[in-house]
Amino acid sequence: MTKILNYLWRAWLLILAFVLTIILGIPVYLLSFNKKNYKYAYQLIRLWCFGMFFGMGLRYELINLTDKKIDKNKQYVVISNHTSIMDIMLPCILFPNHPLCYVGKKELVKIPIFGTIYKRICVMVDRSSARSRADVYRRCAEKMEEGNSIVIFPEGGVPDDTSIVLDDFKDGAFTLSYKHHSPIAVFTFIGLKEMFPFDNSKGYPGKVKVYFNDILEPADSPKDLKLSAFETIKKTLAEHS
């Protein structure tokens, strides 16, 4: 019975995603042709994220582990651990005043309808291409100059091995922060891995704990920034999972 309910829940995800993408995706796509309109498109993207996240029966609790505050007048590189496809909704929900641009896998372009919109509003990277990976910095810099903040999941994707709690971090987010003097907002998501995994039928709706860990200033080298972020998220996972 549990497995049947889970399959129905996942079928509801497809229906919900299709309906929301059709309703909100078309105006987002049209607005994306003018860079000045992205701040308006972003509010529709946030509606899509709210609809997907809460429409799937998920909830979240924000827990601050730092006294530092997000400055609405600054651009940030936003990072977190990556355990589920539902992770991508949370940064948009958490950042109402910072239009976010995601760095994501080129393969997602293949998804019907969604992929057409995705390639207009995100920075795509082909991780098998050194040229594509290198060009990400230039394209992200352009997005930040337009007033956007950048979201990067430094693990590079959801680990295929579900026993991995936190995979090794890639350099991109930290190099970008260092090169463009943008602070890094560090978050840890706990619970989504169990609620909405990719490849098994044990998922269920529930409350996700979102820990706001820290804001790292780009004074240190990219290597030191990466180490600091990794240890911060690793510690949070160990203490609160």
Side-chain angles (χ1 to χ4, degrees):
M1 186 63 179
T2 302
K3 185 173 289 189
I4 293 173
L5 289 174
N6 185 265
Y7 287 144
L8 289 174
W9 188 48
R10 288 165 181 263
W12 169 242
L13 169 70
L14 298 177
I15 295 169
L16 184 63
F18 178 79
V19 171
L20 289 176
T21 301
I22 292 295
I23 294 174
L24 298 172
I26 292 174
V28 167
Y29 181 75
L30 294 174
L31 287 168
S32 70
F33 281 92
N34 187 331
K35 296 175 181 179
K36 294 180 180 179
N37 290 334
Y38 184 69
K39 60 184 178 180
Y40 306 115
Y42 179 65
Q43 296 309 316
L44 295 176
I45 293 169
R46 291 191 75 232
L47 282 177
W48 185 87
C49 291
F50 271 98
M52 288 296 300
F53 191 82
F54 291 104
M56 288 303 296
L58 300 172
R59 300 294 183 266
Y60 77 92
E61 177 185 1
L62 179 61
I63 303 161
N64 291 312
L65 299 181
T66 175
D67 294 330
K68 298 176 184 178
K69 304 294 183 183
I70 298 292
D71 185 342
K72 66 179 182 179
N73 297 312
K74 284 186 177 182
Q75 280 76 52
Y76 292 86
V77 177
V78 182
I79 70 166
S80 77
N81 56 320
H82 198 16
T83 61
S84 164
I85 58 172
M86 304 306 286
D87 288 336
I88 64 173
M89 320 299 173
L90 281 167
C92 280
I93 293 171
L94 295 169
F95 281 80
N97 301 312
H98 296 77
L100 299 179
C101 176
Y102 285 70
V103 175
K105 297 184 292 186
K106 186 177 180 180
E107 292 82 357
L108 296 181
V109 173
K110 299 176 183 178
I111 301 175
I113 304 175
F114 174 86
T116 302
I117 302 164
Y118 170 80
K119 68 182 180 181
R120 292 287 310 170
I121 61 176
C122 295
V123 173
M124 296 174 294
V125 57
D126 180 356
R127 299 194 186 279
S128 66
S129 167
R131 182 176 180 180
S132 176
R133 295 196 304 270
D135 197 42
V136 164
Y137 302 119
R138 178 188 62 80
R139 287 178 286 159
C140 284
E142 290 176 355
K143 294 291 185 181
M144 297 187 85
E145 287 171 4
E146 294 165 11
N148 304 319
S149 293
I150 304 295
V151 178
I152 303 178
F153 295 104
E155 290 172 273
V158 179
D160 294 328
D161 184 350
T162 56
S163 68
I164 295 175
V165 177
L166 186 65
D167 208 352
D168 293 336
F169 282 3
K170 307 293 190 295
D171 294 333
F174 313 100
T175 302
L176 179 67
S177 169
Y178 184 76
K179 281 187 174 182
H180 299 285
H181 312 291
S182 300
I184 299 175
V186 184
F187 291 84
T188 304
F189 303 153
I190 295 180
L192 272 172
K193 184 175 184 178
E194 293 75 27
M195 294 176 196
F196 210 99
F198 266 171
D199 56 359
N200 66 54
S201 58
K202 298 178 182 177
Y204 55 87
K207 182 181 284 187
V208 180
K209 290 188 176 181
V210 176
Y211 293 89
F212 177 30
N213 294 105
D214 201 1
I215 297 174
L216 302 179
E217 297 296 335
D220 296 329
S221 68
K223 182 179 179 180
D224 291 335
L225 284 170
K226 181 171 74 170
L227 179 61
S228 179
F230 183 87
E231 292 299 327
T232 295
I233 293 176
K234 182 179 178 181
K235 180 181 178 182
T236 303
L237 289 169
E239 293 179 351
H240 300 283
S241 292

